[in-house]
């Protein structure tokens, strides 16, 4: 990104922060959190502690960060080095990202940009112009991506409530501002558990590491009665619903399962993980020292806001998270994929000089698909 | 703490206050060394330790389900308490560890039986309370199962490698893991062993009691089988050797002693990773804290200054100095064994 684009984004971001203080708040137990931020084209500043909203707003106005972060962990001394912080506990947190779902639609809305000659094209392994393989991929997620991600959030919520005993009002879902959702769990029995324990929770939620015996299958003489039932709680019930399809097929399917044998059953379980397990990013949940994008702040990958989803079903990220202003900007856009913001369609643009509202211009500039004219 | 009946204390003797128990029964350790009848208990105690050193569980005289005779119960408790006395007099951490593990396995059986007891509610309640008091695990009975909060379960289960202990392979519902009595007890085996171990480590070492010399000598020679070779290489000064010995026995080395040992070894170019295992036997060992403190001393964290080994003079005031003739010419342990400067 060049100076002109950075200046434009900084001005737009600053205006957003000034106009929308109501959307950006420090989390509870502020003084125990670590904050961090990044400026355009510069490194990360971490180990910052803040007292209240006022200090946060001051930081935003003084530094005009491209991204702002806050820990899910609570520390005695959040502003000291990692070793000296004295970790106390951390909210349980999950990241669901459309790019991890390997959806078929992605090839339609991913763009590769050549780092050598700046050629922009639909997804490819080699630059069509200069044959370079140094490519960077940008995605302009579609509705299908969002619906699929929402579906994973719902799977996760069900497991959290039914199996892990989390109260529904302690689960908060945020749109990340780009391609996915962040799910926060507050005040649970897991606040104080460490990384290894969280990793076990991840395997549970993703349905990983299951053994056939858990679902009634044995190497020798499996007993039909020990296979799961439709009414069973937890994974047994979900397994039954997925594998049997309907109650009436249970008996028939069990016969099939027994006849194909133990090791095939094990393989089945592994395949099932991709279907019935919630597709979360394991590293994010296991890391108890990470800092996360602060709700209400802008995502510099899109110019959209990370925002709380009051009602996930009706939530439309591309209108509900777009807050930059409408002032017209002249840009040169090279964005071969159509996208929609605030219910308005934009593009495709093929190296065109166009005039668009700030929020759309910022979206393309953040993705490196446009320059200020 | 929990009040125990006679048969309960025989099953879970590690819950008893050793000194108080003997006093209440009107005995002193000296009597066990002299009185031929009481000496039987010392022999039983020796046997109890020997069996555990072999990796086996001591076969008690308790008959489950039947009310054993009072003197049988008493002898059972005595042999446990005397075993601790013998172990303290022997002073070998490996024997203590093996004994603790075997005793934990033995208690495990009783705990499991008590948990599964459906005719006597009080037995079940006692087992539940022991698990709560000792390990802060709140288990609750639900139908045929015991249920335990998932977070509690995980802190224990992550140390198991078998896949059946993975959370995904457990019945999980509404924030709880469902376990059988056997699984419940299996979950705390290691902690039970650690509990007994630390209780022995923290017990006071008595001076030798007439009549105990022979069993102690037997245990000393038995323990030679288990001596592990430590990092002690090269000629260390006596103060350092002494500190390492204390740690190897699993005894408590004061903070000043740990400081001396760590700074000395760091100056001899040992790494934090090489030094940390030395502290593993310490009764209050915590890997995270130890590494943090060592890194601090090494100057790899915090202020960035490396601390140096204290002078002999300073160590004398801290009762850490055990001089040999060679020490006469040096004023810091680091100079030990080096040629005198010209
Ligand atoms: Zn190119
Ligand atoms: Zn898509």
């Amino acid at each position: 990104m060049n100076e002109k684009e950075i200046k434009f984004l900084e001005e737009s971001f600053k205006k957003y922060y000034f106009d929308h203080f109501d959307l950006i708040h420090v989390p509870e137990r502020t003084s125990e959190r670590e904050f961090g931020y990044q400026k355009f084209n510069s490194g990360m500043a971490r180990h910052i502690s803040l007292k209240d909203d006022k200090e946060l707003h001051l930081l935003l106005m003084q530094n005009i960060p491209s991204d702002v972060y806050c820990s899910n962990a609570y520390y005695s001394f959040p502003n000291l080095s990692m070793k000296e912080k004295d970790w106390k506990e951390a909210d349980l947190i999950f990241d669901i990202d459309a790019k991890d779902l390997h959806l078929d639609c992605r090839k339609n809305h991913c763009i590769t940009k050549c780092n050598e000659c700046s050629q922009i094209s639909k997804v490819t392994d080699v630059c069509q112009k200069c044959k370079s393989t140094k490519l960077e991929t940008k995605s302009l997620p579609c509705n299908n991506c969002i619906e699929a991600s929402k579906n994973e959030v719902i799977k996760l919520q069900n497991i959290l409530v039914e199996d892990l005993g989390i109260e529904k009002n302690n689960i908060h879902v945020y749109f990340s501002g780009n391609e996915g959702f962040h799910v926060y769990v507050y005040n649970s029995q897991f606040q104080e558990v460490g990384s290894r324990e969280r990793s076990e929770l991840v395997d549970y939620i993703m349905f990983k590491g299951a053994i056939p015996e858990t679902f009634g299958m044995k190497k020798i003489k499996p007993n039909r009665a020990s296979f799961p039932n439709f009414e069973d709680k937890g994974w047994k019930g979900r397994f039954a619903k997925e594998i049997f399809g309907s109650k009436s097929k249970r008996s028939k399917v069990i016969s099939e399962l027994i006849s194909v044998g133990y090791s095939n059953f094990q393989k089945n379980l592994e395949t099932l993980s991709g279907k019935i397990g919630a597709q979360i990013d394991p590293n994010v949940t296991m890391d108890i020292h990470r800092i996360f994008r602060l709700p209400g702040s802008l995502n510099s990958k899109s110019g959209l806001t990370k925002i709380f989803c009051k009602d996930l079903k009706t939530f439309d990220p591309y209108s509900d998270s777009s807050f930059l202003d409408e002032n017209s900007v002249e840009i040169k856009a090279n964005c071969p994929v159509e996208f929609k913001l605030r219910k308005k369609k934009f593009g495709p643009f093929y190296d065109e000089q166009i005039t668009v509202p700030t929020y759309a211009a910022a979206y393309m500039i953040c993705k490196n698909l446009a320059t200020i004219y | 703490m929990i009040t125990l009946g006679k048969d309960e204390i025989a099953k879970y003797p590690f819950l008893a206050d050793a000194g108080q128990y003997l006093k209440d029964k009107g005995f002193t350790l000296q009597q066990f060394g002299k009185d031929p009848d009481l000496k039987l208990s010392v022999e039983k105690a020796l046997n109890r330790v020997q069996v555990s050193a072999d990796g086996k569980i001591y076969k008690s005289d308790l008959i489950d389900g039947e009310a054993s005779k009072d003197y049988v119960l008493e002898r059972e408790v005595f042999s446990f308490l005397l075993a601790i006395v013998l172990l303290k007099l022997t002073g070998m951490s490996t024997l203590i560890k093996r004994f603790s593990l075997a005793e934990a396995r033995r208690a495990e059986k009783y705990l499991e039986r008590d948990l599964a007891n459906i005719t006597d509610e009080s037995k079940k309640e006692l087992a539940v309370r022991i698990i709560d008091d000792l390990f802060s695990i709140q288990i609750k009975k639900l139908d045929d199962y015991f249920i335990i909060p998932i977070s509690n379960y995980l802190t224990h289960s992550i140390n198991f490698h078998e896949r059946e202990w993975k959370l995904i392979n457990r019945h999980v519902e509404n924030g709880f893991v469902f376990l059988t009595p056997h699984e419940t007890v299996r979950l705390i085996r290691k902690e039970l062993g650690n509990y007994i171990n630390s209780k022995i480590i923290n017990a006071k070492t008595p001076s030798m009691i007439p009549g105990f010399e022979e069993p102690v000598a037997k245990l000393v020679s038995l323990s030679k089988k288990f001596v592990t070779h430590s990092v002690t290489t090269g000629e260390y000064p006596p103060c350092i050797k002494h500190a390492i010995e204390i740690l190897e026995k699993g005894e408590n080395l004061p903070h000043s002693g740990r400081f001396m040992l760590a700074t000395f070894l760091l100056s001899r170019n040992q790494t934090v990773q090489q030094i940390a295992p030395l502290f593993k036997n310490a009764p209050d060992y915590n890997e995270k804290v130890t590494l943090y403190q060592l890194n601090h001393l090494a100057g790899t964290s915090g202020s960035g200054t490396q601390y140096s080994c204290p002078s002999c003079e300073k160590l004398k005031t801290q009762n850490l100095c055990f001089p040999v003739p060679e020490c006469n010419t040096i004023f810091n342990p680091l100079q030990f064994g080096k040629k005198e400067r010209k």
Side-chain angles (χ1 to χ4, degrees):
Chain A
M1 223 178 279
N2 291 318
E3 243 171 80
K4 265 205 255 169
E5 285 75 43
I6 289 178
K7 193 167 161 264
F8 164 74
L9 289 178
E10 280 187 337
E11 274 168 13
S12 315
F13 277 36
K14 186 170 186 174
K15 185 160 188 311
Y16 166 82
Y17 284 126
F18 189 79
D19 292 342
H20 293 281
F21 278 155
D22 56 315
L23 288 178
I24 318 151
H25 298 288
V26 291
E28 274 177 38
R29 294 170 64 181
T30 316
S31 61
E32 294 166 89
R33 311 278 192 156
E34 178 197 358
F35 291 83
Y37 68 88
Q38 230 166 341
K39 295 175 71 151
F40 288 98
N41 278 3
S42 126
M44 173 88 86
R46 280 191 77 161
H47 314 302
I48 296 167
S49 79
L50 295 174
K51 264 205 325 264
D52 49 25
D53 279 352
K54 232 172 143 183
E55 279 195 1
L56 171 67
H57 295 160
L58 190 67
L59 180 145
L60 295 175
M61 294 322 288
Q62 279 178 341
N63 297 288
I64 320 167
S66 63
D67 302 272
V68 189
Y69 304 94
C70 174
S71 66
N72 59 326
Y74 304 79
Y75 303 100
S76 302
F77 313 106
N79 55 338
L80 298 187
S81 78
M82 219 65 229
K83 272 181 193 151
E84 296 166 311
K85 276 186 170 33
D86 184 25
W87 187 91
K88 291 198 272 197
E89 57 184 281
D91 301 325
L92 201 52
I93 205 160
F94 302 94
D95 179 25
I96 287 168
D97 202 304
K99 76 170 185 303
D100 299 330
L101 303 181
H102 313 291
L103 301 166
D104 285 338
C105 59
R106 293 194 70 75
K107 61 179 184 302
N108 303 328
H109 54 71
C110 279
I111 296 164
T112 46
K113 182 169 186 178
C114 175
N115 279 340
E116 305 269 352
C117 73
S118 296
Q119 168 78 10
I120 284 173
S121 50
K122 288 279 183 79
V123 175
T124 167
D125 296 330
V126 254
C127 172
Q128 281 146 2
K129 199 167 159 196
C130 76
K131 306 291 170 220
S132 165
T133 51
K134 286 180 186 146
L135 305 171
E136 120 183 66
T137 304
K138 301 279 175 186
S139 166
L140 284 75
C142 72
N143 250 334
N144 184 49
C145 286
I146 296 303
E147 287 312 310
S149 306
K150 280 185 184 177
N151 194 35
E152 296 304 320
V153 173
I154 292 164
K155 273 154 76 180
L156 170 64
Q157 278 177 322
N158 286 340
I159 299 167
L160 290 176
V161 172
E162 289 166 17
D163 299 17
L164 305 193
I166 312 264
E167 279 180 47
K168 205 147 190 197
N169 57 2
N170 279 329
I171 304 174
H172 288 191
V173 181
Y174 294 86
F175 173 60
S176 74
N178 194 28
E179 294 201 77
F181 293 91
H182 295 166
V183 179
Y184 289 64
V185 174
Y186 303 107
N187 301 318
S188 75
Q189 57 167 307
F190 305 105
Q191 286 292 123
E192 285 169 44
V193 304
S195 183
R196 285 169 70 206
E197 287 89 347
R198 285 171 202 243
S199 154
E200 268 294 296
L201 286 177
V202 165
D203 282 350
Y204 185 85
I205 289 162
M206 299 184 82
F207 195 74
K208 284 198 166 154
I211 52 175
E213 285 80 356
T214 306
F215 298 92
M217 185 63 179
K218 283 196 209 125
K219 276 186 183 145
I220 309 151
K221 283 196 187 168
N223 170 5
R224 299 180 68 90
S226 56
F227 282 82
N229 286 301
F230 250 65
E231 300 77 22
D232 283 346
K233 295 279 174 74
W235 279 122
K236 283 192 184 162
R238 285 182 211 109
F239 172 94
K241 285 175 195 108
E242 177 72 22
I243 290 285
F244 304 146
S246 71
K247 273 189 199 175
S248 57
K249 287 195 200 137
R250 181 176 184 269
S251 180
K252 190 176 143 249
V253 176
I254 290 176
S255 303
E256 282 167 19
L257 288 172
I258 292 176
S259 73
V260 296
Y262 185 89
S263 61
N264 280 317
F265 194 103
Q266 179 72 63
K267 274 184 210 132
N268 265 335
L269 288 178
E270 280 148 33
T271 323
L272 266 186
S273 158
K275 286 189 198 161
I276 59 177
Q279 306 305 305
I280 55 176
D281 181 338
N283 298 319
V284 169
T285 303
M286 279 160 60
D287 190 346
I288 56 170
H289 297 109
R290 201 179 268 250
I291 49 179
F292 290 86
R293 195 171 293 292
L294 182 73
S297 71
L298 291 165
N299 188 326
S300 73
K301 287 181 201 150
S302 64
L304 300 176
T305 300
K306 170 166 173 178
I307 197 153
F308 179 64
C309 307
K310 276 191 210 84
D311 178 13
L312 189 65
K313 272 196 199 108
T314 59
F315 180 78
D316 172 8
Y318 300 105
S319 35
D320 299 345
S321 74
S322 172
F323 289 94
L324 296 185
D325 69 60
E326 307 230 350
N327 298 341
S328 298
V329 200
E330 244 184 294
I331 56 168
K332 197 175 168 202
N334 193 351
C335 177
V337 169
E338 180 189 292
F339 65 94
K340 222 171 133 183
L341 282 177
R342 301 196 196 169
K343 309 222 186 303
K344 242 189 239 161
K345 276 184 193 164
F346 296 93
F349 304 116
Y350 301 96
D351 239 334
E352 296 168 47
Q353 187 186 326
I354 49 165
T355 303
V356 290
T358 297
Y359 63 87
Y363 189 68
M364 286 184 276
I365 291 173
C366 282
K367 294 195 179 287
N368 242 322
L369 301 173
T371 50
I372 294 288
Y373 193 70
Chain B
M1 194 68 213
I2 309 168
T3 21
L4 300 158
K6 278 184 199 134
D7 60 327
E8 287 157 353
I9 209 162
K11 286 193 280 189
Y12 311 117
F14 49 87
L15 295 174
D17 178 338
Q20 197 56 42
Y21 186 85
L22 290 180
K23 218 183 265 168
D24 288 351
K25 299 286 163 191
F27 293 113
T28 63
L29 283 177
Q30 278 66 29
Q31 285 174 290
F32 283 93
K34 275 185 269 172
D35 186 317
D37 285 340
L38 292 176
K39 256 192 135 167
L40 276 178
S41 290
V42 181
E43 266 162 47
K44 265 189 156 317
L46 174 65
N47 176 252
R48 211 162 167 157
V49 179
Q50 284 168 330
V51 167
S52 72
D54 254 3
K56 295 190 187 112
I57 304 170
Y58 155 79
K59 266 185 103 173
S60 76
D61 299 333
L62 296 183
I63 308 153
D64 194 63
E66 283 175 50
S68 300
K69 291 201 174 71
D70 275 5
Y71 75 89
V72 175
L73 295 176
E74 221 167 70
R75 210 170 53 199
E76 191 76 10
V77 184
F78 285 156
S79 70
F80 176 85
L81 299 177
L82 292 168
I84 295 182
V85 173
L86 292 179
L87 285 166
K88 291 303 282 188
L89 289 170
T90 309
M92 297 307 297
S93 65
T94 41
L95 286 187
I96 296 176
K97 267 190 198 142
R98 283 167 175 267
F99 177 77
S100 308
L101 189 67
E103 287 295 326
R105 301 284 290 270
R106 173 180 172 276
E108 210 178 293
K109 284 186 185 166
Y110 294 117
L111 271 177
E112 191 181 328
R113 253 180 253 169
D114 283 351
L115 279 179
N117 196 320
I118 39 171
T119 49
D120 189 346
E121 192 75 4
S122 71
K123 286 218 160 64
K124 191 198 78 201
E125 269 167 29
L126 173 73
V128 167
R129 264 191 25 239
I130 290 175
I131 292 171
D132 187 2
D133 274 27
L134 264 46
F135 314 110
S136 328
I137 301 180
Q138 283 90 45
I139 57 169
K140 274 189 279 188
K141 181 101 200 255
L142 190 80
D143 302 327
D144 291 339
Y145 293 94
F146 286 92
I147 61 171
I148 143 173
I150 299 172
S151 51
N152 259 335
Y153 173 83
L154 288 177
T155 46
H156 299 270
S157 72
I158 51 167
N159 299 312
F160 296 156
H161 303 294
E162 301 90 346
R163 287 209 294 170
E164 66 197 78
W165 287 97
K166 277 188 78 65
L167 191 62
I168 182 83
N169 294 313
R170 290 282 138 196
H171 179 159
V172 175
E173 208 180 304
N174 206 19
F176 292 93
V177 181
F178 287 56
L179 298 172
T180 63
H182 174 73
E183 291 163 340
T184 308
V185 171
R186 173 70 186 84
L187 194 63
I188 52 158
R189 173 182 293 170
K190 210 176 143 215
E191 278 82 358
L192 190 55
N194 288 344
Y195 175 82
I196 298 172
N197 192 63
S198 73
K199 211 155 171 190
I200 301 175
I201 297 284
N202 291 324
K204 261 202 232 142
T205 309
S207 41
M208 183 51 83
I209 299 140
F212 280 50
E213 297 91 344
E214 202 190 305
V216 168
K218 278 186 184 156
L219 289 181
V220 168
S221 81
L222 175 66
S223 72
K224 298 232 166 85
K225 245 174 49 185
F226 300 112
V227 169
T228 46
H229 294 279
S230 65
V231 295
T232 330
T233 49
E235 195 52 82
Y236 286 152
C239 48
I240 300 297
K241 276 189 195 161
H242 181 261
I244 293 175
E245 270 170 39
I246 288 186
L247 285 175
E248 276 182 344
K249 281 200 226 164
E251 281 168 22
N252 195 27
L253 182 65
H255 183 75
S256 50
R258 295 179 195 203
F259 182 84
M260 165 193 75
L261 181 59
T263 49
F264 177 89
L265 293 174
L266 285 167
S267 301
R268 284 271 172 107
N269 290 324
Q270 291 211 22
T271 64
V272 167
Q273 276 67 30
Q274 284 171 317
I275 300 170
L278 269 179
F279 297 90
K280 267 207 171 120
N281 281 341
D284 56 349
Y285 177 73
N286 174 321
E287 191 184 0
K288 236 171 84 182
V289 172
T290 302
L291 285 175
Y292 172 77
Q293 288 168 340
L294 286 174
N295 276 314
H296 186 69
L297 295 180
T300 42
S301 75
S303 59
T305 44
Q306 184 177 344
Y307 289 81
S308 47
C309 186
S311 65
C312 297
E313 198 170 288
K314 173 93 185 165
L315 296 175
K316 265 177 207 144
T317 66
Q318 293 171 325
N319 297 320
L320 293 168
C321 175
F322 303 87
V324 292
E326 271 182 87
C327 290
N328 289 338
T329 55
I330 63 169
F331 48 86
N332 188 297
L334 284 169
Q335 295 163 310
F336 188 83
K338 288 186 182 158
K339 295 255 158 64
E340 242 184 302
R341 276 174 297 175
K342 284 177 188 160

